[in-house]
Structure formats: structure tokens, C-alpha cells
């Protein structure tokens, strides 16, 4: 397939402010994805995110795209274009294997794998269709601008992982999050306090990079990611990174237990000393 200078979806849509008809967009999505992938796909519209179902051979068989509202504006179109390009990237370059199936038993590894595989397939998508880079950038900009709660936590986690492996766009987002979390807010009494809610994406990014460098001397995490050639490779790397987080959690728990034991010991020593002093006082 010959690379184009723009996104395939953008080329097929009306331009110059032409009115957009929702049903036309829906009708366009299925043949467009089938054209990109070169095989028949079932395309459904449901929910607010992209989901891919695979056949017995590990190839994408069904793609679910977000359900569009009855009317769309430019912002919704940008998000939808991003969804289309992400779906196309998965359909073109993701292949489910035994290694990826095993990740379902490890929630942390599964989260890391999703971030790595999105980064890997979207990079390949941008090489084949350079214009998709703009769509994906706008999609993620709007995602970080509007995500809250659990959705924002998932976005932050994926951002930290993708920044750790050298995804340039997410390195920018990670720096912005770092600045945001170090910003201050003013409470009712005009006291300035640091924002402490949620985990720290910058700390997660740093931990993954350092842990990988210490475990694989002579190779950085970015270099490891650049060497990924398949979905299975991404799954293996995700399992390695998940192990670093598990080890870190275990060390944190151990430190907590040691601190607790230390406090208990100190309390016991204090009580023993008090009892000895009382006995000595009685004897005199």
C-alpha cells in the first residue's frame, strides 16, 4: 500500500466546512477500514472507545467504534478521526498470540501491554499514513484535556509508559503532567498547598527507565521498544516492565513492615524500661 501525505479518513471526508452527516460517517467507517486492512471486518458503533475482537488465528475480526451523537462539530470529528486511525493501526499491525493471551491473568502487565502496543502500532500507522500523526495528536490532546476520574488515571498511566519508551508526543504530555501536578491550588483560607491526588506519572516513567537500565546493562528502554517487531514482542516487554512494578511494590511492603516492627520494638523497649524503673523505685 502506498503511503499518503494525509490520513485516509480525512481524504474521504467533506472539506472546507462542508456539513457533516453522521450516518455518512458511519457508512464510511466500515469500507474504509476494510480497504486499509485488505480484508472483511465487522464494524460496530457502541460506547465511547475503540475495541478489537480477534479470530481464532489472532487476526482482527471485529472492531467497535464509538457511537457518534446525532450531530457533530469539528472537535467531535477530530476525536472520531483519531479513533478511526487507532482502529486501523490495530487492525493492520496487531496479532493476538499465546503471549498476549497470558497477559489477561496479570492486570498490570495488561495495562502496560495496551500502552506499548498502541505506541508500536500507531508509530507504524504514521509511517504508512503520515497524515494520521496529526489526527492522533489531536485525539490525545482532547483526551488529556477532557478525561477525569478513572479515565484520566488510565490516560496518565499509558502516558507514563509511552513516555518511558521514548514516544515523543507522550514525552511532551508527561512533562505537562509533571508541571500540572507540581502546580499549587488555593483553598478557602487562601493557603497554598501542593496537589497530591493520584499517582505520579513522572515517578512511574523514571522508575521503569531506571529499572530496565539496571537489569539490562548496555540497553535502554527506548532501544528495547525500538527493537519490537511484533505484538508478541510487545507482550514480552510488558511482562518484564510489570515485573519491575511488582518488585517495587514488594520492596515498599517490606519497608513498611520493617518500620512497623521497629516502632513495635521501640515501644516494647520503652515499656520494659518503665517497668524496671518502677520495680527499682519500689525496692528502695
Amino acid at each position: 500500500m502506498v503511503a499518503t501525505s494525509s490520513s485516509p479518513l480525512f481524504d474521504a471526508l467533506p472539506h472546507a466546512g462542508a456539513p457533516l452527516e453522521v450516518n455518512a460517517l458511519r457508512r464510511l467507517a466500515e469500507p474504509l477500514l476494510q480497504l486499509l486492512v485488505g480484508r472483511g471486518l465487522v464494524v460496530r458503533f457502541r460506547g465511547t472507545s475503540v475495541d478489537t475482537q480477534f479470530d481464532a488465528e489472532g487476526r482482527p475480526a471485529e472492531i467497535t467504534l464509538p457511537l457518534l451523537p446525532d450531530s457533530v462539530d469539528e472537535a467531535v470529528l477530530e476525536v472520531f478521526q483519531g479513533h478511526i486511525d487507532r482502529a486501523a493501526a490495530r487492525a493492520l499491525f496487531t496479532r493476538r498470540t499465546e503471549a498476549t493471551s497470558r497477559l489477561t491473568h496479570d492486570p498490570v502487565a495488561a495495562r502496560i501491554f495496551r500502552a506499548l502496543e498502541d505506541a508500536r502500532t500507531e508509530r507504524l500507522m504514521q509511517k504508512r499514513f503520515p497524515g494520521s500523526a496529526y489526527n492522533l495528536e489531536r485525539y490525545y490532546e482532547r483526551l488529556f484535556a477532557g478525561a477525569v476520574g478513572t479515565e484520566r488515571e488510565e490516560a496518565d498511566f499509558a502516558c507514563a509508559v509511552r513516555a518511558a519508551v521514548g514516544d515523543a508526543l507522550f514525552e511532551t504530555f508527561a512533562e505537562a503532567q509533571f508541571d500540572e501536578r507540581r502546580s499549587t491550588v488555593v483553598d478557602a483560607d487562601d493557603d497554598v498547598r501542593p496537589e497530591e491526588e493520584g499517582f505520579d506519572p513522572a515517578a512511574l516513567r523514571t522508575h521503569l527507565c531506571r529499572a530496565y537500565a539496571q537489569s539490562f546493562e548496555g540497553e535502554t528502554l527506548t532501544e528495547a521498544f525500538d527493537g519490537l517487531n511484533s505484538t508478541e514482542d510487545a507482550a514480552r516487554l510488558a511482562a518484564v516492565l510489570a515485573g519491575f512494578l511488582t518488585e517495587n511494590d514488594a520492596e515498599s511492603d517490606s519497608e513498611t513492615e520493617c518500620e512497623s516492627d521497629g516502632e513495635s520494638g521501640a515501644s516494647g523497649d520503652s515499656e520494659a524500661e518503665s517497668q524496671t524503673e518502677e520495680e527499682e523505685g519500689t525496692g528502695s
Side-chain angles (χ1 to χ4, degrees):
M1 188 177 293
V2 179
T4 63
S5 60
S6 60
S7 164
L9 176 62
F10 185 77
D11 288 340
L13 288 173
H15 293 276
L20 298 172
E21 206 270 322
V22 172
N23 289 329
L25 288 176
R26 291 171 179 165
R27 289 194 299 268
L28 174 65
E30 184 167 7
L32 173 64
L33 286 170
Q34 291 173 344
L35 175 65
L36 288 173
V37 181
R39 65 190 300 272
L41 282 175
V42 175
V43 179
R44 304 184 187 280
F45 291 88
R46 182 172 55 243
T48 59
S49 60
V50 175
D51 182 58
T52 306
Q53 300 296 320
F54 298 82
D55 61 21
E57 297 178 353
R59 297 179 178 276
E62 178 179 315
I63 290 179
T64 300
L65 292 170
L67 181 63
L68 290 170
D70 293 334
S71 61
V72 294
D73 55 19
E74 182 179 357
V76 174
L77 175 59
E78 286 182 341
V79 171
F80 188 71
Q81 286 182 266
H83 281 308
I84 286 284
D85 287 353
R86 293 181 69 231
R90 293 182 186 182
L92 282 167
F93 305 112
T94 293
R95 296 294 178 266
R96 180 66 60 86
T97 67
E98 182 179 348
T100 61
S101 298
R102 287 197 297 268
L103 294 179
T104 58
H105 303 295
D106 187 338
V108 175
R111 292 175 74 188
I112 295 175
F113 167 71
R114 285 194 295 271
L116 292 178
E117 184 66 356
D118 281 347
R120 189 187 73 85
T121 58
E122 288 168 18
R123 175 183 290 187
L124 294 172
M125 181 71 179
Q126 291 171 49
K127 288 181 179 179
R128 183 170 294 190
F129 299 101
S132 65
Y134 173 81
N135 290 337
L136 292 169
E137 181 175 351
R138 295 296 293 160
Y139 166 80
Y140 284 115
E141 284 177 351
R142 294 193 179 278
L143 172 65
F144 284 106
V148 295
T150 302
E151 184 180 7
R152 180 54 188 260
E153 182 179 339
E154 285 297 321
D156 284 350
F157 185 89
C159 179
V161 173
R162 294 182 65 161
V165 299
D167 190 319
L169 175 61
F170 284 82
E171 286 180 325
T172 301
F173 286 145
E175 290 301 324
Q177 290 180 59
F178 181 84
D179 292 340
E180 177 183 336
R181 289 183 180 277
R182 297 300 183 273
S183 64
T184 56
V185 294
V186 180
D187 62 18
D189 297 324
D190 293 331
D191 292 329
V192 179
R193 57 184 174 82
E195 179 59 59
E196 298 177 346
E197 296 182 358
F199 77 98
D200 189 343
L204 174 58
R205 171 191 179 187
T206 300
H207 174 69
L208 291 177
C209 290
R210 288 179 178 173
Y212 191 89
Q214 291 171 356
S215 299
F216 299 90
E217 187 176 351
E219 182 182 47
T220 66
L221 182 51
T222 297
E223 291 170 340
F225 174 75
D226 289 341
L228 300 182
N229 294 312
S230 66
T231 303
E232 189 160 351
D233 287 347
R236 292 195 184 102
L237 181 57
V240 170
L241 299 184
F244 295 152
L245 297 185
T246 301
E247 292 172 2
N248 187 58
D249 289 342
E251 291 175 359
S252 298
D253 291 342
S254 177
E255 290 175 359
T256 300
E257 291 177 1
C258 289
E259 291 175 358
S260 178
D261 291 343
E263 291 174 357
S264 298
S267 177
D269 292 342
S270 178
E271 292 176 359
E273 290 174 359
S274 298
Q275 183 175 356
T276 300
E277 291 176 356
E278 290 177 0
E279 291 175 350
E280 292 177 348
T282 303
S284 60

